[in-house]
């Protein structure tokens, strides 16, 4: 019985039953990054043999300080595949399947999730977490959720109707800034950085579709109409300057417009500065180097490209590091600003030669782009008397970089596997015995890793307080009226009340409304394999509402039109209509992410916001930009 | 709260009876206490391809390294990273715990690592860590892993030493700033701590036993910088201040007396568990072998625990019989998740000590894998 080999340590500490259960279990690991590398290793060393890894990312240099399954020669290869190969080297008998893909792809449908004993999240963003949460609820599989940021981390278990789900607790939305703060009255370094990155950079170099000021929040209460119209004038003037791109005058024109003309125009609005410190315009002739001034008058010199920048040591130089870590003088910022403008102008024009609809996009690792943003933000900060930042810090804020280190990921992955041990021995450890573990920053004394009780489901959670039903059908044949029949028909769910059917928060059918759609096939309303419908059933007579998530699996040649699995009608929880009404605004299912907010309330967004999330912290490498 | 143990009988007076939710998944059939770690197959002292460089020429971080270490420099700053780049660390005994510590320190970018281990790779080592391969079985552990450690971070200088600790003279240690003992017995730790104190080498000692782990730090005198709390309100105050911690030796730590058993800190959930580990180590010391899970051995272990805790003036019931039972049954198990927890927590303390930024652990860290919980207490 006792294996003197690989399992010797395990068999000494765990029961024979648990060791066997671990060997038989099939684990889905979503994410093969910071937590993922550690988790894959710890799972394999804990007797788990069957693991499927899904990750859409490729390996980057900045991963190598912690993602130990990856090495320099693996840069830009798929994380999932390299993680698998590296892990097989120390455990050749393991059965690891790797997918270089997005977990939201239709191939990873409910049936796929049902194929696993436990799902473990090693993700770096809210949106994917929320999606996996929903899929685990649908497939009724336990989910081990986890996240880290810097020295901190957290892990807990989610089980349908037994514990809170990922969406039971409100998440803090990404930070947004009112347009007038960004455009006219900044007071913090981040305001200047957002302006540099999301306003000036995209106005000058973004593709035409993006440079139509996506950041303008036109809500009336956001500022007076006069100011809005002035801002529009500014944009117009900037477009005129863009026509000068490619000439020697261009950098100076941009400088004078944004740091002088526009500032003076704002200054003329005296009311604005009654209770604020007024900005100070910058004067080109006082700040630009003699060399810069000369280039403005010289004709026909070759521009920007390939020219070593005096103020910016090349990447790889020793001085570069020092240069990125110190706060530049105003003159240095002016130099970097003008030079990066020239480089970017050249690049922009080249890109546009091949495609007039294209442009440049912000990339924190693109040196001239980041130079431009850092210099611009600093000059703007100087204008407003706001403390300036070194390029290193500006990059962190502009690129939403989350500090990360191997140790916290290793600790949290270890906790996840301890959670798994308990999940696989339900007869001995009830779910309440699986604590919510929180890792804090050590201060040399006291608790570092704490265990708190797991939360109960939130009774008004719009995600988990719902029914989960899977329908297998031919989407080219099944019609929306068949879906209505599934919901109402006494042979099926048999729910009473008014039905509305949504897909990704978009209403596609409602009793007494959009009834034209009722004869459309699922295919015709773009409900294909792997998609889900959110069905709201409002039973006015009983004063209750129900939510049903219906997951569609396309099948050819079914003997019947559809087959159902999952919750029966009686299993589907109800919410009192009044309560549902109140919670509806506060909490919405977010499977489509955060982009779909009303146009009218669109505000400037700086990042994916995951580090603003106090509930679950993320191992975030490159946060998605949601501007 | 027990792991796998031979008996599940609860002795009421010894049970703190708080966490009924913690029925353990780890109990089970037969205990397996075998502990055959005394083999001495030491070959020659290894050679390593690189020569040992010990100089004080502080190497600066270059831009390439700054890119590689970007995400952690944002956590602890360039100065700490530069100190890591120049740190020389020796780690003793290549088990599951040291596997994690080695990985974490090498990824973080320390300057030089020396691994001391006279043992050869056994089949069970393949389940304890990721550095060994089937074909390494029978080869020295430190030598087998050396190239693979380098693969994690080729910038780190890695040496392997295959002599047992007992064959190394005191001067051997002077080449390191930091020494990490893993899975060591009490007498070895006391002996090495004396040497390290005399030579001002900073010592960490740690072990994992089933679901329990501990770490001890004796950094002799440690100077670090930390954010100046006064700078919050007073912008003219210096941003950082320097502080010094005087550490206690292991011998002093073992003599620690609590003023009174109702001391809130002494009662916290993690702290008393150090006495469970101490009881295990003391048992080993007195009997020249670790306990088995037999009732007789468990009784002896309980007696030692009672003795130690009474001497320290801590209520002996703070350590449950179940915990001792499971320790007796599972102490030889080096579990990967516990190694990850203990190794991660300890590595972070080692890195904080190397970086000389913010206070490192002072002075005992206890890891309870069952809750799971971990905390640091000053003994
Ligand atoms: Zn919920």
């Amino acid at each position: 019985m006792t294996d003197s080999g690989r399992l010797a340590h395990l068999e000494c500490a765990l029961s024979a039953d648990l060791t066997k259960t671990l060997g038989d279990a099939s684990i889905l690991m979503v994410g093969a990054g910071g937590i993922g590398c550690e988790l894959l290793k710890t799972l394999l060393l804990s007797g788990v043999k069957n693991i499927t890894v899904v990750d859409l990312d490729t390996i980057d240099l900045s991963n190598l300080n912690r993602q130990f399954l990856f090495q320099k020669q693996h840069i830009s290869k798929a994380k999932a595949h390299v993680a698998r190969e590296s892990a097989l080297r120390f455990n050749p008998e393991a059965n690891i399947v790797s997918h270089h893909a997005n977990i939201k792809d239709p191939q990873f449908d409910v049936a796929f999730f049902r194929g696993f004993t436990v799902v473990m999240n090693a993700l770096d963003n809210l949106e994917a977490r929320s999606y996996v949460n929903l899929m685990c609820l649908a497939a009724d599989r336990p989910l081990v959720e986890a996240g880290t940021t810097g020295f901190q981390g957290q892990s807990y278990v989610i089980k349908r109707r037994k514990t809170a789900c990922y969406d039971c607790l409100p998440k803090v939305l990404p930070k947004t800034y009112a347009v007038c703060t960004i455009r006219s009255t900044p007071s913090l370094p981040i305001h200047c950085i957002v302006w540099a990155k999301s306003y000036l950079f995209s106005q000058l170099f973004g593709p035409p579709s993006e440079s139509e000021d996506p950041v303008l929040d036109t809500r009336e209460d956001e500022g007076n109409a006069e100011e809005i119209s002035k801002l529009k004038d500014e944009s117009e003037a900037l477009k005129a300057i863009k026509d000068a791109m490619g000439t020697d005058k261009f950098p100076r024109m941009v400088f004078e417009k944004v740091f002088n003309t526009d500032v003076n125009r704002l200054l003329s609005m005296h009311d604005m500065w009654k209770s604020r410190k007024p900005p100070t315009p910058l004067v080109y002739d006082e700040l630009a180097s003699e060399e810069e001034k000369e280039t403005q008058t010289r004709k026909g010199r070759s521009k920007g490209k390939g020219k070593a920048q005096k103020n910016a040591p090349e990447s790889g130089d020793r001085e570069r590091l020092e240069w990125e870590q110190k706060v530049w003088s105003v003159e240095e910022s002016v130099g970097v600003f003008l030079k990066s403008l020239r480089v970017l102008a050249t690049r922009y024009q080249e890109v546009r030669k091949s495609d007039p609809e294209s442009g440049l996009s912000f990339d924190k690792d693109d040196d001239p782009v980041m130079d431009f943003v850092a210099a611009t933000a600093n000059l703007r900060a100087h204008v407003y008397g706001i403390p300036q930042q070194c390029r290193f810090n500006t990059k962190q804020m502009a690129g939403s970089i989350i500090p990360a280190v191997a140790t916290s990921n290793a600790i949290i992955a270890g906790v996840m596997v301890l959670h798994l041990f308990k999940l696989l021995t339900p007869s001995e450890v009830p779910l309440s015995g699986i604590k919510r573990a929180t890792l804090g920053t050590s201060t040399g004394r006291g608790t570092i890793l704490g265990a708190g009780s797991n939360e109960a489901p939130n009774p008004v959670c719009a995600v988990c307080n719902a029914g989960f039903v899977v329908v297998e059908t031919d989407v080219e044949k099944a019609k929306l009226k068949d879906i209505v029949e599934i919901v109402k028909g006494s042979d099926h769910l048999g729910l009473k009340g008014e039905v509305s059917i949504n897909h990704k928060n978009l209403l596609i059918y409602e009793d007494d409304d959009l009834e034209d759609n009722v004869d459309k096939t699922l295919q015709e309303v773009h409900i294909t394999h792997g998609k889900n419908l959110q069905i709201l059933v409002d039973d006015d007579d009983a004063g209750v509402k129900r939510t049903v998530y219906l997951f569609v699996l396309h099948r050819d040649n079914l003997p019947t039109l559809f087959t159902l699995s999952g919750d029966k009608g009686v299993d589907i929880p109800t919410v009192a209509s009044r309560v549902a009404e109140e919670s509806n605004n506060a909490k919405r299912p977010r499977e489509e992410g955060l982009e779909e907010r009303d146009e009218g309330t669109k505000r400037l967004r700086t990042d994916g916001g995951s580090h603003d999330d106090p509930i679950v912290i993320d191992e975030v490498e490159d946060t998605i930009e949601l501007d | 709260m027990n792991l796998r143990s031979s008996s599940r009988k609860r002795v009421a007076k010894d049970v703190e009876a708080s966490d009924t939710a913690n029925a353990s998944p780890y109990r089970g059939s037969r205990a397996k206490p075998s502990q055959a770690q005394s083999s001495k197959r030491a070959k020659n002292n290894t050679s390593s391809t690189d020569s040992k460089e010990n100089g004080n020429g502080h190497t600066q971080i270059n831009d390439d390294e700054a890119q590689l270490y970007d995400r952690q420099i944002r956590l602890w700053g360039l100065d700490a990273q530069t100190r890591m780049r120049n740190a020389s660390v020796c780690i003793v005994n290549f088990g599951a715990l040291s596997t994690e510590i080695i990985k974490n320190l090498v990824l973080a970018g320390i300057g030089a690592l020396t691994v001391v281990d006279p043992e050869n790779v056994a089949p069970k080592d393949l389940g304890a860590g990721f550095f060994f391969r089937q074909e390494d079985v029978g080869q020295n552990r430190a030598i087998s892993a050396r190239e693979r450690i380098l693969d994690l971070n080729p910038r780190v200088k890695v040496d392997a030493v295959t002599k047992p600790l007992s064959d190394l003279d005191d001067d051997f240690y002077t080449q390191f700033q930091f020494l990490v003992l893993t899975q060591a017995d009490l007498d070895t730790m006391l002996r090495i701590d004396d040497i390290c104190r005399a030579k001002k080498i900073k010592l960490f000692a740690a072990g994992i036993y089933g679901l329990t782990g501990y770490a001890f730090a004796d950094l002799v005198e440690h100077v670090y910088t930390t954010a100046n709390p006064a700078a919050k309100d007073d912008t003219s105050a210096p941003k950082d201040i320097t502080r010094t911690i005087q550490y206690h030796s292991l011998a002093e730590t073992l003599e620690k007396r609590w003023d009174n058993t109702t001391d809130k800190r002494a009662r916290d959930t993690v702290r008393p568990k150090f006495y469970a580990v101490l009881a295990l180590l003391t048992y080993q010391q007195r009997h020249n072998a670790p306990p088995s899970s037999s009732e007789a051995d468990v009784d002896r272990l309980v007696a030692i625990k009672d003795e130690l805790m009474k001497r320290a003036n801590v209520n002996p019931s703070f350590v449950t019989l179940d915990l001792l039972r499971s320790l007796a049954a599972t102490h030889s198990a080096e579990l990967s998740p516990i190694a990850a927890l203990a190794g991660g927590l300890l590595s972070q303390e080692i890195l904080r000590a190397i970086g000389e930024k913010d206070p490192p652990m002072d002075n005992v860290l206890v890891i309870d894998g069952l809750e799971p919980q971990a905390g640091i207490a000053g003994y």
Side-chain angles (χ1 to χ4, degrees):
Chain A
M1 175 77 209
T2 299
D3 185 347
S4 62
R6 232 170 246 288
L7 296 178
H9 283 291
L10 276 182
E11 288 180 338
C12 173
L14 309 187
S15 69
D17 282 354
L18 178 53
T19 310
K20 184 177 183 312
T21 311
L22 285 163
D24 294 342
S26 182
I27 304 293
L28 171 62
M29 232 184 77
V30 193
I35 294 175
C37 284
E38 294 287 339
L39 181 61
L40 183 56
K41 171 257 305 171
T42 305
L43 283 172
L44 290 171
L45 294 175
S46 300
V48 175
K49 296 194 176 82
N50 308 302
I51 304 171
T52 296
V53 185
V54 180
D55 194 306
L56 56 68
D57 235 347
T58 55
I59 295 156
D60 185 78
L61 173 66
S62 64
N63 301 148
L64 304 186
N65 78 321
R66 61 194 185 284
Q67 301 177 16
F68 79 102
L69 297 175
F70 311 144
Q71 292 157 17
K72 208 154 191 174
Q73 69 270 22
H74 300 133
I75 287 173
S76 69
K77 290 186 175 167
K79 285 187 175 180
H81 298 327
V82 177
R84 175 183 176 272
E85 285 154 25
S86 297
L88 283 177
R89 239 166 267 142
F90 65 83
N91 196 337
E93 292 123 66
N95 168 28
I96 308 171
V97 178
S98 56
H99 297 277
H100 179 213
N102 189 336
I103 191 63
K104 295 174 81 172
D105 289 349
Q107 58 170 316
F108 307 121
D109 54 28
V110 185
F112 172 83
F113 277 81
R114 281 175 172 170
F116 299 98
T117 324
V118 176
V119 178
M120 304 182 92
N121 264 352
L123 279 164
D124 65 358
N125 66 86
L126 304 175
E127 193 190 332
R129 281 196 170 96
S130 201
Y131 182 80
V132 174
N133 174 63
L134 183 69
M135 294 306 285
C136 288
L137 292 169
D140 198 13
R141 290 295 177 269
L143 170 64
V144 182
E145 176 55 64
T148 63
T149 178
F151 295 125
Q152 291 157 318
Q154 186 174 106
S155 174
Y156 58 96
V157 167
I158 295 170
K159 183 80 174 70
R160 184 169 94 173
R161 292 181 190 140
K162 299 274 170 47
T163 73
C165 84
Y166 180 70
D167 281 309
C168 272
L169 299 169
K171 307 288 178 291
V172 172
L173 291 172
K175 210 163 186 117
T176 62
Y177 300 96
V179 160
C180 290
T181 305
I182 298 302
R183 296 279 298 270
S184 310
T185 55
S187 57
L188 294 171
I190 184 68
H191 298 154
C192 302
I193 293 167
V194 169
W195 183 81
K197 170 192 154 186
S198 302
Y199 174 67
L200 191 58
F201 176 80
S202 63
Q203 285 283 298
L204 289 172
F205 303 115
S209 58
E210 278 175 31
S211 53
E212 279 160 20
D213 207 350
V215 302
L216 198 60
D217 182 339
T218 50
R219 292 189 304 172
E220 305 248 327
D221 59 350
E222 218 36 85
N224 57 55
E226 183 200 4
E227 198 187 332
I228 298 267
S229 93
K230 288 214 175 206
L231 292 175
K232 282 196 172 137
D233 290 347
E234 270 184 32
S235 299
E236 295 298 316
L238 200 56
K239 274 174 195 149
I241 287 176
K242 280 179 81 171
D243 296 338
M245 205 181 289
T247 70
D248 282 332
K249 286 190 181 115
F250 173 67
R252 179 182 184 143
M253 287 171 77
V254 176
F255 181 96
E256 294 196 319
K257 174 176 179 344
V258 299
F259 297 122
N260 191 291
T261 315
D262 291 348
V263 176
N264 276 317
R265 179 161 30 199
L266 276 172
L267 273 174
S268 70
M269 301 169 71
H270 301 290
D271 283 357
M272 200 179 259
W273 314 110
K274 273 181 183 156
S275 57
R276 288 189 184 93
K277 192 175 167 238
T280 318
L282 301 180
V283 179
Y284 180 85
D285 283 328
E286 290 170 8
L287 295 168
S289 66
E290 290 309 315
E291 188 200 348
E292 275 295 345
K293 286 180 214 165
E294 257 172 53
T295 55
Q296 307 304 318
T297 52
R298 244 189 303 158
K299 293 238 162 74
R301 59 173 279 285
S302 71
K303 285 160 287 277
K305 198 186 167 195
K307 182 173 168 276
Q309 296 189 26
K310 192 178 133 207
N311 285 333
E314 292 287 312
S315 186
D317 287 0
R318 173 139 313 166
E319 302 78 47
R320 175 83 190 184
L321 183 56
E322 206 175 289
W323 180 78
E324 290 188 4
Q325 294 247 348
K326 70 166 187 183
V327 176
W328 301 331
S329 68
V330 185
E331 288 78 9
E332 279 174 302
S333 291
V334 171
V336 176
F337 176 81
L338 297 172
K339 280 171 181 165
S340 59
L341 263 181
R342 213 169 285 132
V343 174
L344 295 175
T346 309
R347 221 203 265 174
Y348 179 73
Q349 288 181 312
E350 268 168 30
V351 166
R352 304 261 293 186
K353 254 182 237 161
S354 50
D355 178 4
E357 290 304 301
S358 66
L360 308 179
S361 57
F362 175 79
D363 173 359
K364 67 184 185 326
D365 295 316
D366 184 334
D367 281 342
V369 172
M370 199 52 234
D371 288 349
F372 171 80
V373 169
T376 305
N378 269 350
L379 291 174
R380 186 158 175 90
H382 184 74
V383 164
Y384 283 90
I386 296 167
Q388 294 164 54
Q389 300 288 316
C390 66
R391 187 189 184 281
F392 182 82
N393 286 350
T394 303
K395 181 174 170 181
Q396 182 159 339
M397 289 189 258
S400 307
I401 298 173
I402 311 290
V405 65
T407 47
S408 8
N409 290 326
I411 295 163
I412 288 302
V415 170
M416 293 173 81
V417 173
L418 292 172
H419 285 337
L420 178 71
F421 287 179
K422 292 178 182 173
L423 267 178
L424 295 182
T425 49
S427 59
E428 306 207 29
V429 186
L431 270 177
S432 60
I434 310 181
K435 305 284 179 66
R436 184 178 278 254
T438 307
L439 173 70
T441 305
S442 165
T443 56
R445 286 280 174 98
T447 302
I448 313 175
L449 181 70
S453 55
N454 210 349
E455 310 265 341
N458 178 349
V460 295
C461 176
V463 177
C464 69
N465 196 48
F468 297 93
V469 180
V470 179
V471 58
E472 294 175 61
T473 190
D474 184 336
V475 296
E476 289 174 35
K477 289 182 188 150
K479 297 181 172 161
L480 273 180
K481 66 179 175 195
D482 299 317
I483 301 299
V484 176
E485 172 61 19
I486 286 173
V487 175
K488 294 186 174 177
S490 54
D491 295 344
H492 310 298
L493 297 179
L495 302 180
K496 291 194 176 61
E498 210 165 286
V499 170
S500 59
I501 301 177
N502 301 272
H503 173 58
K504 293 183 171 179
N505 291 338
L506 193 78
L507 188 66
I508 53 178
Y509 167 85
E510 192 168 25
D511 285 350
D512 307 323
D513 193 8
L514 294 172
E515 295 220 323
D516 303 349
N517 279 348
V518 89
D519 285 318
K520 288 191 176 146
T521 63
L522 294 182
Q523 173 110 315
E524 283 167 336
V525 290
H526 310 294
I527 305 302
T528 50
H529 181 88
K531 300 249 166 102
N532 69 73
L533 295 167
Q534 190 197 358
I535 303 170
L536 303 172
V537 188
D538 188 351
D539 186 349
D540 240 0
D541 298 340
V544 294
K545 292 185 178 194
R546 290 180 176 83
T547 304
V548 180
Y549 286 94
L550 187 71
F551 291 79
V552 176
L553 301 179
H554 172 74
R555 301 280 187 255
D556 293 323
N557 308 321
L558 276 180
T560 56
L561 184 57
F562 54 78
T563 59
L564 295 180
S565 57
D567 283 333
K568 303 271 179 279
V570 291
D571 301 330
I572 296 166
T574 58
V575 182
S577 298
R578 195 178 46 80
V579 179
E581 222 46 68
E582 281 165 11
S583 68
N584 200 30
N585 297 328
K587 225 181 301 250
R588 307 209 57 157
R590 294 187 295 105
E591 78 244 53
E592 227 2 57
L594 302 159
E595 301 93 328
E596 295 197 356
R597 295 201 289 166
D598 298 343
E599 278 306 301
T601 59
K602 198 167 186 178
R603 301 181 102 197
L604 240 188
R605 203 172 275 137
T606 53
D607 53 52
S610 24
H611 60 303
D612 291 323
D613 175 7
I615 312 300
V616 162
I617 324 156
D618 298 310
E619 219 281 350
V620 170
E621 178 50 22
D622 297 297
T623 312
I624 357 99
E625 305 298 329
L626 292 174
D627 294 9
Chain B
M1 266 201 247
N2 80 340
L3 310 186
R4 169 170 155 166
S5 60
S6 56
S7 158
R8 288 281 299 152
K9 196 172 54 182
R10 280 185 159 230
V11 178
K13 71 172 165 64
D14 253 357
V15 173
E16 217 184 344
S18 55
D19 288 312
T20 44
N22 277 318
S24 159
Y26 311 105
R27 75 180 105 110
S29 52
R30 204 170 50 86
K32 192 180 157 288
S34 85
Q35 172 82 317
Q37 284 186 347
S38 55
S39 59
K40 272 197 183 176
R41 276 155 294 178
K43 300 263 162 65
N44 340 333
N45 200 342
T46 337
S47 52
S48 94
T49 48
D50 312 70
S51 63
K52 195 139 277 201
E53 174 214 340
N54 224 354
N56 292 324
H58 228 51
T59 312
Q60 294 300 312
I61 299 290
N62 62 36
D63 188 46
D64 288 344
E65 289 169 291
Q67 309 277 332
L68 171 64
Y69 301 129
D70 182 87
R71 297 305 184 266
Q72 66 196 40
I73 290 174
R74 293 179 187 280
L75 216 41
W76 51 57
L78 201 55
D79 289 348
Q81 188 67 51
T82 305
R83 290 195 181 93
M84 288 171 198
R85 177 79 178 79
N86 291 280
S88 175
V89 181
C90 175
I91 185 158
V92 180
N93 178 59
F94 208 139
L97 178 58
S98 26
T99 294
E100 287 288 328
I101 299 170
I102 289 167
K103 174 203 68 191
N104 294 336
L105 297 186
V106 165
L107 288 174
I110 58 167
L113 174 78
T114 298
V115 185
V116 178
D117 193 303
E119 304 273 335
N120 292 340
V121 178
K124 75 172 189 177
D125 290 322
L126 302 178
F130 48 84
F131 285 119
F132 306 126
R133 310 281 183 268
Q134 188 69 50
E135 64 266 25
D136 301 332
V137 172
Q139 308 289 312
N140 175 273
R141 296 200 290 198
I143 292 178
S144 305
R146 188 179 168 275
E147 289 293 321
R148 294 183 201 119
I149 297 172
L150 276 170
D151 284 345
L152 293 186
N153 189 347
R155 293 167 198 272
V156 180
K157 201 161 91 57
V158 180
D159 283 326
V161 173
T162 62
K163 280 187 182 177
L165 221 47
S166 51
D167 289 3
L168 296 166
D169 60 38
D170 293 4
D171 283 339
F172 168 79
Y173 303 100
T174 57
Q175 55 190 314
F176 312 109
Q177 296 152 280
F178 296 87
L179 183 66
V180 185
L181 290 177
T182 64
Q183 309 296 132
D185 60 56
L186 211 44
D187 288 334
T188 303
M189 287 193 279
L190 287 163
R191 180 173 74 83
I192 303 287
D193 190 29
D194 279 349
I195 298 170
C196 287
R197 285 220 136 221
K199 299 186 184 299
K200 303 246 183 301
I201 297 161
K202 298 184 178 189
L203 173 76
F204 290 89
I208 53 171
Y209 308 94
L211 283 191
T212 304
Y214 85 99
F216 162 79
D218 179 3
L219 310 187
V220 196
E221 180 182 271
H222 185 74
V223 182
Y224 64 92
T225 61
T226 192
N228 183 5
K232 248 185 225 162
D233 306 316
D234 177 7
T235 45
S236 65
K239 254 177 69 194
D240 291 324
I241 46 168
T242 301
R243 287 200 167 137
T244 304
I245 307 177
Q246 300 293 340
Y247 278 78
H248 294 285
S249 69
L250 181 58
E252 285 169 332
T253 300
L254 297 180
E255 294 304 311
K256 164 81 181 176
R257 302 279 183 279
W258 297 93
D259 298 338
N260 120 36
T261 50
T262 58
D263 184 320
K264 211 170 142 256
R265 287 172 309 159
R267 292 173 62 127
D268 82 24
T269 46
V270 169
R271 196 170 311 237
K273 286 175 186 153
F274 184 45
Y275 290 103
V277 175
L278 276 185
L280 178 71
L281 294 170
T282 307
Y283 186 109
Q284 252 168 323
Q285 184 190 42
R286 291 185 188 168
H287 299 272
N288 262 324
S292 75
S293 56
S294 72
E295 278 300 296
D297 281 10
V298 172
D299 286 347
R300 264 179 287 226
L301 190 60
V302 170
I304 293 173
K305 180 264 299 183
D306 286 349
E307 174 198 326
L308 294 176
M309 292 185 85
K310 275 176 195 150
R311 208 170 65 193
N313 213 10
V314 183
N315 186 339
S317 72
F318 292 162
V319 172
T320 65
L321 178 63
D322 276 358
L323 176 59
L324 292 181
R325 275 218 177 94
S326 66
L327 268 180
T330 66
H331 62 81
S332 70
E334 298 177 11
L335 290 178
S336 176
I338 301 301
L341 239 72
L345 291 165
L346 177 57
S347 301
Q348 201 48 65
E349 300 300 331
I350 297 172
L351 291 170
R352 193 179 285 105
I354 296 174
E356 294 172 20
K357 185 159 184 291
D358 296 330
M361 60 176 280
D362 176 19
N363 62 352
V364 171
L365 167 69
V366 182
I367 295 107
D368 165 11
L370 198 51
E371 277 284 333
Q373 267 184 340
I376 298 164
Y379 282 84

